[in-house]
């Protein structure tokens, strides 16, 4: 009896070992085919957007820093499809991203009118917050647009402001229109407006044909502090406006940098006593200025160099927790000088990075804007903290 019992037990133990070995082998194969973080499966090159729209921080961590692009696809009941494309190499600080979009083409007459009588318009309602990099969005509509040029707009200071240019490809043979654009904000409503090049109603990018004046609220500015009513939104970024100038006009790579504290003008009652003299009447500390980029320079490096050349005070400290420098004050204006939610922020090409200025390496053509916020970014176009 005992021998039989031990024999059955031995057989049972062998079967368990076989099953365990098989399970381990299965895990190893899965891990070998895709990198994973804990129990999180790595993102594929192409991924479907989940029902709630959220791609998690942990999922982005599986591809962050890799030299590849990651796509996320979605469709609506109305036959609209869209594709987000992220450059994984640019992701330095992964975070949750809600990529779900709601679309509508109805009741947009007022938007078209404000956008210089645009021919076509599309409303896109985003459901997220801050971006971990600047992705490309391609939207395919099951209809043909008459437009051949367009802009992506977002309301800023109660006016429509440019977020980016939009490429329009109307495919008449397929009865479809593809709208391609860069996106710098994931929160709230934004609008794609389009028109026909060479005509008055070609969209937000054209001047008003009645008086030859440009509609400055939608003619080339984007949704950050530069589009504030008191800022330098209407100025050219050629380096020859106001107190800005060209530091170097050689053939080397260049970027444009500006420093603006216009938001303080609407919050002077909160400003630390004695700081009034450091706030310019128009809020412009440094107008858009073109500077040459030296190899490997960061946004922090550019700011430090330009402030030194221009005689503008600047103070920054290194923050170990974020492995980056933090700008505390510019032109004697420091964080908390205009309320508990005030301080300096920077944006690149309309995007407010979710990491420090010393970690962003500048590229040829970048537009760097240092802006003072009195409301944790909301008053300069960044709603990632709200």
């Amino acid at each position: 009896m005992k021998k039989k019992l031990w024999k059955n037990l031995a057989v049972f133990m062998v079967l368990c070992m076989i099953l365990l070995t098989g399970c381990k082998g299965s895990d190893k194969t899965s891990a070998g085919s895709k990198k994973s973080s804990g129990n999180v499966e790595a993102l594929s090159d192409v991924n479907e957007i989940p029902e709630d729209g959220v791609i998690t921080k942990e999922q982005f961590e599986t591809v962050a820093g890799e030299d590849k692009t990651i796509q996320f696809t979605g469709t609506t009941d109305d036959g609209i499809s869209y594709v987000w494309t992220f450059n994984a190499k640019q992701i330095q600080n992964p975070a949750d991203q809600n990529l779900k979009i709601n679309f509508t083409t109805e009741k947009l007459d007022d938007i078209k009118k404000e956008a210089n009588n645009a021919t076509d318009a599309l409303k896109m309602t985003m459901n997220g917050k801050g971006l971990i990099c600047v992705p490309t969005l391609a939207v395919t509509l099951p209809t043909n647009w008459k437009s051949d040029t367009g802009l992506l707009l977002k309301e800023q200071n109660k006016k429509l402001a440019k977020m980016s240019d939009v490429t329009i490809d109307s495919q008449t043979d397929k009865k479809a229109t593809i709208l391609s654009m860069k996106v710098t904000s994931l929160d709230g409503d934004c609008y794609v407006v389009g028109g026909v090049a060479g005509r008055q109603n070609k969209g937000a990018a054209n001047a008003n044909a009645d008086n030859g004046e440009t509609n400055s609220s939608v003619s080339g500015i984007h949704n950050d502090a530069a589009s504030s009513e008191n800022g330098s939104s209407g100025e050219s970024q050629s380096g020859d406006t106001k107190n800005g100038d060209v530091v170097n006009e050689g053939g080397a790579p260049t970027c444009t940098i500006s420093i603006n504290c216009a938001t303080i003008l609407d919050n002077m009652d909160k400003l630390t006593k004695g700081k009034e003299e450091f706030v310019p009447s128009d809020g412009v500390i440094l107008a858009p200025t073109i500077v040459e980029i030296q190899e490997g320079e960061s946004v922090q490096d550019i700011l430090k160099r330009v402030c030194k050349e221009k005689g503008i005070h600047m103070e920054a400290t290194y923050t170990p927790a974020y492995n980056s420098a933090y700008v505390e004050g510019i032109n004697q204006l420091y964080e908390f000088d205009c309320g508990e939610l005030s301080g300096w922020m920077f944006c690149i090409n309309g995007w407010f990075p979710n990491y420090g200025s010393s970690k962003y390496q500048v590229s040829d053509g970048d537009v760097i804007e240092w802006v003072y916020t009195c409301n944790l970014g909301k008053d300069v176009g960044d709603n990632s903290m709200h």
Side-chain angles (χ1 to χ4, degrees):
M1 183 69 179
K2 286 184 178 181
K3 287 184 178 180
K4 187 175 182 181
L5 180 61
W6 280 109
K7 185 177 180 181
N8 290 338
L9 183 59
V11 172
F12 176 76
M13 291 178 67
V14 170
L15 288 173
C16 287
M17 289 179 67
I18 292 173
L19 288 172
L20 287 172
T21 301
C23 290
K24 288 182 179 179
S26 176
D27 288 343
K28 186 175 181 180
T29 301
S30 177
S33 60
K34 283 187 179 181
K35 183 178 72 174
S36 62
S37 176
N39 295 322
V40 179
E41 185 176 12
L43 291 172
S44 301
D45 291 345
V46 180
N47 310 268
E48 288 188 12
I49 298 174
E51 185 65 28
D52 64 0
V54 178
I55 310 299
T56 67
K57 170 185 176 181
E58 291 75 17
Q59 288 177 297
F60 277 112
E61 285 176 343
T62 66
V63 296
E66 294 186 12
D67 190 11
K68 61 190 299 186
T69 57
I70 306 296
Q71 293 187 323
F72 303 93
T73 64
T75 57
T76 70
D77 294 336
D78 297 328
I80 298 176
S81 62
Y82 56 105
V83 180
W84 293 95
T85 301
F86 282 68
N87 185 343
K89 195 172 184 178
Q90 295 178 355
I91 301 174
Q92 293 195 27
N93 190 18
D96 289 358
Q97 302 280 270
N98 191 327
L99 303 182
K100 189 173 183 178
I101 306 176
N102 300 109
F103 300 90
T104 182
T105 56
E106 300 178 356
K107 299 180 180 180
L108 297 178
D109 289 343
D110 289 343
I111 297 297
K112 291 180 181 179
K113 184 177 180 180
E114 187 174 350
N116 291 345
N117 298 315
T119 304
D120 300 290
L122 173 70
K123 178 181 178 180
M124 303 192 299
T125 300
M126 307 287 187
N127 299 281
K129 287 188 177 182
L131 277 166
I132 57 177
C133 71
V134 179
T136 298
L137 174 64
V139 179
T140 301
L141 306 175
T143 184
N144 292 120
W145 274 22
K146 296 178 181 179
S147 305
D148 58 15
T149 182
L151 292 176
L152 176 61
L153 307 175
K154 188 175 177 66
E155 188 174 281
Q156 177 69 18
N157 297 321
K158 298 182 180 180
K159 292 182 180 180
L160 291 179
K162 176 183 173 181
M163 185 186 296
S164 69
D165 294 312
V166 177
T167 299
I168 301 176
D169 179 13
S170 187
Q171 303 178 334
T172 54
D173 56 329
K174 299 180 181 179
K175 197 176 181 181
T177 299
I178 301 176
L179 310 173
S180 302
M181 67 210 82
K182 294 285 187 181
V183 176
T184 58
S185 175
L186 276 181
D187 65 288
D189 297 332
C190 57
Y191 306 89
V192 176
V193 296
V196 180
R199 298 183 185 177
Q200 176 187 349
N201 65 336
K202 76 171 188 175
N206 198 22
N208 189 308
D210 294 333
N211 54 22
E213 296 179 359
T214 300
N215 181 349
S216 62
S217 66
V218 293
S219 62
I221 56 178
H222 47 67
N223 62 325
D224 55 31
S227 63
S228 66
E229 295 177 0
N230 298 309
S232 55
S233 60
E235 299 175 21
S236 164
Q237 295 192 343
S238 62
D240 57 358
T241 58
K242 286 201 173 184
N243 63 329
D245 59 70
V246 178
V247 174
N248 190 303
E249 292 188 271
T254 62
C255 68
T256 301
I257 182 171
S258 62
I259 306 173
N260 192 295
C261 64
T263 54
I264 296 179
L265 298 173
D266 295 325
N267 296 276
M268 294 297 287
D269 57 320
K270 299 179 183 178
L271 188 63
T272 300
K273 189 175 181 180
K275 294 281 187 175
E276 297 84 358
E277 63 177 298
F278 301 112
V279 181
S281 60
D282 59 357
V284 179
I285 296 172
L286 177 70
T289 302
I290 297 177
V291 299
E292 183 178 326
I293 302 170
Q294 298 174 10
E295 186 176 355
E297 277 194 310
S298 67
V299 169
Q300 171 80 3
D301 295 327
I302 296 291
L303 175 67
K304 184 177 180 180
R305 176 157 59 86
V306 171
C307 283
K308 183 177 180 180
E309 293 173 352
K310 296 292 185 180
I312 300 172
H313 156 267
M314 190 274 276
E315 183 176 348
T317 57
Y318 178 74
T319 307
Y322 297 100
N323 189 31
S324 179
Y326 174 70
V327 174
E328 295 180 314
I330 301 176
N331 204 45
Q332 301 298 336
L333 298 171
Y334 284 77
E335 59 177 338
F336 311 133
D337 269 350
C338 201
E340 60 182 11
L341 301 180
S342 66
W344 287 100
M345 301 179 66
F346 76 100
C347 72
I348 303 291
N349 308 321
W351 171 52
F352 289 85
N354 65 341
Y355 49 86
S357 59
S358 62
K359 295 182 70 177
Y360 189 103
Q361 187 169 325
V362 183
S363 299
D364 187 25
D366 279 347
V367 177
I368 306 168
E369 293 171 291
W370 283 94
V371 293
Y372 194 91
T373 176
C374 297
N375 189 22
L376 206 62
K378 192 171 184 179
D379 52 352
V380 295
D382 179 24
N383 293 316
S384 60
M385 301 296 290
H386 297 268

